[in-house]
């Protein structure tokens, strides 16, 4: 397996290795379990909100594969280009999003970056004010699931634009 170093701005990135594990084939039961968690988490949540959360987590995790997949899905579902561009800077562009979406995006930020500061009470309380317990549990599961997908895609060097669903 070989890799190539690429100089981007002040960072050195490494291009994807030429061959990595096919996670779905190597661990099919685990892969199906994550798919099941993903499906259960989405159940009953607004599809637009689902995509916004998945896009935001993918931004934070620098997962181009998932970012491409979920922006494509959001467009197909009718999401505007304007809002898609604003997800990365949602706090500065809060007026593009409903209060409920803002609460979900704030929770996504906190859970995705949980090692930085945990999930602050104010962030949790804000989400709890917009989601009932069942919805909040599914939202948390959705955030956990997209973080899992991001890590699978990054660890196995999935390439953006090669959606294999």
């Amino acid at each position: 397996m070989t890799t190539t170093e690429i100089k981007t701005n002040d960072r050195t990135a490494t291009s994807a290795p030429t061959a990595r594990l096919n996670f779905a084939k190597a661990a099919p039961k685990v892969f199906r379990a994550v798919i099941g968690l993903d499906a259960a988490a989405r159940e009953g949540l607004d599809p637009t909100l689902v995509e916004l959360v998945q896009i935001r987590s993918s931004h934070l995790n620098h997962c181009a594969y998932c970012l491409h997949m979920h922006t494509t899905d959001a467009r197909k579902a009718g999401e505007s280009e304007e809002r898609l561009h604003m997800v990365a800077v949602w706090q500065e562009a809060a007026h593009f999003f409903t209060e409920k979406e803002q609460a979900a995006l704030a929770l996504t930020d906190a859970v995705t970056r949980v090692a930085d500061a945990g999930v602050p009470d104010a962030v949790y309380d804000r989400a709890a004010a917009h989601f009932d317990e069942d919805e909040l549990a599914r939202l948390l599961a959705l955030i956990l699931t997209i973080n899992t997908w991001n890590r699978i895609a990054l660890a196995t060097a999935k390439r953006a634009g090669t959606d294999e669903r």
Side-chain angles (χ1 to χ4, degrees), residues 80-93:
S80 73
E81 288 297 317
E82 189 171 50
R83 281 176 30 111
L84 290 176
H85 291 293
M86 294 297 113
V87 174
V89 292
W90 74 267
Q91 291 173 321
E92 293 81 14

Side-chain angles (χ1 to χ4, degrees), residues 9-59:
N9 297 334
D10 292 331
R11 295 176 23 189
T12 299
T14 305
S15 69
T18 55
R20 285 228 177 141
L21 170 75
N22 180 325
F23 190 83
K25 287 184 180 177
K29 287 174 79 173
V30 175
F31 190 77
R32 284 191 306 273
V34 178
I35 289 171
L37 176 60
D38 190 313
R42 293 167 180 258
E43 197 172 296
L45 292 177
D46 174 19
T48 299
L49 180 77
V50 168
E51 294 305 330
L52 293 175
V53 164
Q54 294 177 322
I55 290 165
R56 180 60 181 160
S57 181
S58 298
H59 276 142

Side-chain angles (χ1 to χ4, degrees), residues 1-160:
M1 180 178 345
T2 62
T3 59
T4 306
E5 283 191 0
I6 302 168
K7 190 73 169 173
T8 57
N9 297 334
D10 292 331
R11 295 176 23 189
T12 299
T14 305
S15 69
T18 55
R20 285 228 177 141
L21 170 75
N22 180 325
F23 190 83
K25 287 184 180 177
K29 287 174 79 173
V30 175
F31 190 77
R32 284 191 306 273
V34 178
I35 289 171
L37 176 60
D38 190 313
R42 293 167 180 258
E43 197 172 296
L45 292 177
D46 174 19
T48 299
L49 180 77
V50 168
E51 294 305 330
L52 293 175
V53 164
Q54 294 177 322
I55 290 165
R56 180 60 181 160
S57 181
S58 298
H59 276 142
L60 295 172
N61 288 319
H62 303 276
C63 184
Y65 179 82
C66 292
L67 185 58
H68 181 269
M69 179 188 305
H70 293 295
T71 55
T72 300
D73 289 350
R75 282 182 191 95
K76 286 178 184 174
E79 186 57 78
S80 73
E81 288 297 317
E82 189 171 50
R83 281 176 30 111
L84 290 176
H85 291 293
M86 294 297 113
V87 174
V89 292
W90 74 267
Q91 291 173 321
E92 293 81 14
H95 60 285
F96 284 91
F97 304 99
T98 67
E99 287 290 326
K100 188 173 187 172
E101 290 168 341
Q102 291 175 46
L105 291 168
L107 188 62
T108 301
D109 286 7
V111 173
T112 299
R113 295 176 168 159
V114 71
D116 293 346
V119 177
D121 288 341
V123 170
Y124 183 87
D125 292 345
R126 181 180 183 187
H130 292 280
F131 296 89
D132 66 30
E133 266 193 15
D134 187 53
E135 290 174 315
L136 186 56
R138 286 194 314 274
L139 176 60
L140 283 167
L142 178 70
I143 297 165
L144 300 174
T145 304
I146 188 56
N147 274 278
T148 299
W149 287 127
N150 290 163
R151 282 153 177 75
I152 290 169
L154 290 165
T156 61
K158 301 290 273 181
R159 290 188 53 160

